[in-house]
Amino acid sequence: MTEANVRANETTVPVLPCVSVEETLEFYQALGFEATYKQTRPYVYLVLEWSGFALHFGMPPKNVDPSQEDAGACLVLVDEVAPYHAEFTRAMRAAYGKVLAKGRPRITRFRPGASRFTLVDPSGNSIIFIQRDEPAELEYGGSKTLAGLAKALDNARILSEFKNDDRTALKVLITALRRHGDTAPPLDVARTLATLIELASALEETEGLEEWRRRLNSLELTDAQRHQATEGLGEADALHLWRTEPAPKTGPGETPTS
């Protein structure tokens, strides 16, 4: 084919594996997708459309395991990511009574300033929404002036917000806390512990949670520092980071004593 015959009018269409037609339709239609084509015989083929894009689904390969979450993937490039995440979480609450943040299907967490999030569907496909101006290359650790826990926190932020890799972010912070936790400033320790609790809760990794909460509450922090430690955490209140002691019991006519 000569150059004169090549025109920039190509359209790519991903065809993702569909393990269960019923579960796939239920999930995507709950999010507001419209099934514009549905075929189950002699083979499965679905087309689901939302806004300006379409996802196509076909027969899965043999022995595909949805629990491995590596069946297929599709990148959706958008101008702004936040409105998409907000719309899908709204639809989830309306359909399921909650945001599906754990297990499969689910939507990954989204923090202010993040440039991507992922929908994981019942077949283990990942639909990754990415902001078009997301940096092509990211400098882990941010400024060269960062060190210790501050550097690890920035690495974890990039892994979580730009790479959707909460599990590696968790490992980075656990290692950093072990190395630097005894010498780092209390605020950096508090930020690390709060982020560890958030990541572990999202991943349903319960080991270490209570110890991190205990350690977090043992730090001597001002109210302002407590706010700084949890700033940016999406569900800070739901994580039960801060323990409050019950008010002392008093008898009739008595006043509480310190």
Side-chain angles (χ1 to χ4, degrees):
M1 180 178 287
T2 65
E3 183 177 352
N5 293 327
V6 178
R7 300 182 184 277
N9 60 357
E10 299 87 359
T11 299
T12 59
V13 179
V15 180
L16 304 169
C18 174
V19 174
S20 168
V21 170
E22 293 76 14
E23 291 180 0
T24 297
L25 287 172
E26 178 186 359
F27 175 64
Y28 284 102
Q29 287 179 324
L31 296 181
F33 283 76
E34 179 185 359
T36 56
Y37 187 84
K38 177 182 176 182
Q39 174 182 300
T40 57
R41 294 176 182 277
Y43 55 86
V44 169
Y45 203 91
L46 302 176
V47 179
L48 293 160
E49 297 186 14
W50 192 91
S51 185
F53 71 97
L55 299 175
H56 291 225
F57 296 86
M59 292 293 293
K62 293 182 179 180
N63 302 319
V64 65
D65 183 358
S67 68
Q68 296 300 309
E69 299 185 2
D70 58 1
C74 175
L75 307 183
V76 183
L77 302 181
V78 299
D79 290 336
E80 292 185 54
V81 172
Y84 289 81
H85 193 274
E87 180 59 26
F88 289 138
T89 54
R90 183 205 61 77
M92 282 183 178
R93 288 192 180 95
Y96 300 105
K98 62 179 180 179
V99 175
L100 303 179
K102 301 176 182 179
R104 193 186 67 257
R106 71 177 184 280
I107 187 171
T108 59
R109 298 174 307 111
F110 183 80
R111 289 183 179 181
S115 62
R116 63 172 61 189
F117 71 89
T118 301
L119 289 173
V120 180
D121 75 9
S123 296
N125 297 305
S126 293
I127 314 303
I128 308 170
F129 290 78
I130 303 176
Q131 197 154 303
R132 283 194 176 89
D133 62 357
E134 181 184 79
E137 296 183 7
L138 297 166
E139 182 182 356
Y140 286 81
S143 168
K144 294 181 180 179
T145 62
L146 295 177
L149 285 184
K151 185 179 183 71
L153 281 163
D154 199 59
N155 288 343
R157 177 184 64 83
I158 292 173
L159 286 164
S160 182
E161 296 178 6
F162 292 94
K163 301 299 183 182
N164 277 336
D165 193 350
D166 283 352
R167 198 166 297 279
T168 301
L170 182 72
K171 293 177 181 177
V172 164
L173 291 182
I174 289 174
T175 300
L177 187 65
R178 189 180 301 122
R179 290 178 180 174
H180 308 291
D182 293 336
T183 57
L187 181 56
D188 283 351
V189 176
R191 290 175 59 211
T192 302
L193 290 166
T195 305
L196 277 171
I197 293 168
E198 182 197 35
L199 289 170
S201 298
L203 293 167
E204 298 185 299
E205 298 279 355
T206 58
E207 184 178 357
L209 274 176
E210 285 309 307
E211 171 60 22
W212 294 330
R213 285 194 178 97
R214 183 203 63 75
R215 188 168 175 182
L216 179 61
N217 280 265
S218 70
L219 295 171
E220 294 186 6
L221 302 171
T222 65
D223 289 342
Q225 287 175 322
R226 285 191 173 201
H227 175 74
Q228 286 178 275
T230 60
E231 193 172 11
L233 299 187
E235 301 290 339
D237 293 338
L239 294 173
H240 306 295
L241 297 173
W242 310 111
R243 292 195 176 98
T244 56
E245 297 297 329
K249 295 182 179 180
T250 59
E254 296 179 346
T255 56
T257 57
S258 58

